[in-house]
Amino acid sequence: MAGPLPRLYRIVIVVAMLLICSAAGAWLGASPSLPFLIGTGMLGGALVGVVASYALLHQPRH
């Protein structure tokens, strides 16, 4: 958990996670050993980035 961060830092973290995961998805999609397309890899990476950033920034409520 990243804790209570200012809004700008939260946005920066979400954008960074989206870019990193989309790039990783595109790289996996371009790999000849895996039968994915680059666009599909980027979309899958973006979805993983959204989930990862939510998990990173979400604060549990007790």
Side-chain angles (χ1 to χ4, degrees):
M1 304 301 157
L5 294 174
R7 185 178 180 111
L8 176 64
Y9 294 143
R10 287 176 167 254
I11 292 171
V12 168
I13 288 173
V14 169
V15 169
M17 290 295 292
L18 284 174
L19 289 176
I20 290 169
C21 291
S22 293
W27 178 68
L28 286 174
S31 177
S33 63
L34 298 174
F36 294 114
L37 300 173
I38 292 176
T40 306
M42 287 180 72
L43 180 63
L47 291 175
V48 169
V50 167
V51 171
S53 61
Y54 177 77
L56 182 66
L57 296 174
H58 181 70
Q59 294 182 7
R61 297 181 185 158
H62 296 282

